[in-house]
Amino acid sequence: MVLKITSDCTNCVACETECPNNAISQGDEIFVIDPDLCTECIGSFDESQCVAVCPADSIIKDLSISDTIEELLAKHNKIHKVA
Ligand code: SF4
């Protein structure tokens, strides 16, 4: 599963630089997470870095995307070119 940012986002920018995959960017109104790049931080950290720093608690699991842990790790390895 990947994460998404809800309308509670206050555009504080705290999350953007924390993402190891550069998955977070400014959208039209609030920050957005690219589901093709989000791995829930699997392979990089023990917890989702964006969730850890979000002061508005506006980052949640996107239940519409059901990546398995194995798929998320494979995505991490592809992004970071891990053999
Ligand atoms: Fe980036 Fe990790 Fe947040 Fe996904 S969970 S957007 S990989 S910081």
Side-chain angles (χ1 to χ4, degrees):
M1 218 166 290
V2 303
L3 302 188
K4 66 178 181 180
I5 300 175
T6 73
S7 58
D8 289 336
C9 173
T10 61
N11 287 315
C12 75
V13 193
C15 61
E16 186 179 21
T17 56
E18 298 299 322
C19 179
N21 301 344
N22 292 319
I24 303 174
S25 61
Q26 175 76 63
D28 290 338
E29 296 181 4
I30 58 173
F31 279 79
V32 294
I33 294 175
D34 182 341
D36 291 333
L37 294 176
C38 178
T39 59
E40 278 194 57
C41 287
I42 286 174
S44 297
F45 296 100
D46 290 338
E47 63 177 349
S48 297
Q49 298 299 287
C50 57
V51 174
V53 299
C54 179
D57 291 332
S58 68
I59 304 177
I60 62 174
K61 289 181 186 281
D62 185 342
L63 299 178
S64 70
I65 302 174
S66 58
D67 286 354
T68 64
I69 291 176
E70 290 76 19
E71 289 169 331
L72 292 172
L73 188 55
K75 192 192 300 185
H76 163 273
N77 290 344
K78 184 176 178 187
I79 292 169
H80 295 280
K81 298 180 174 45
V82 177

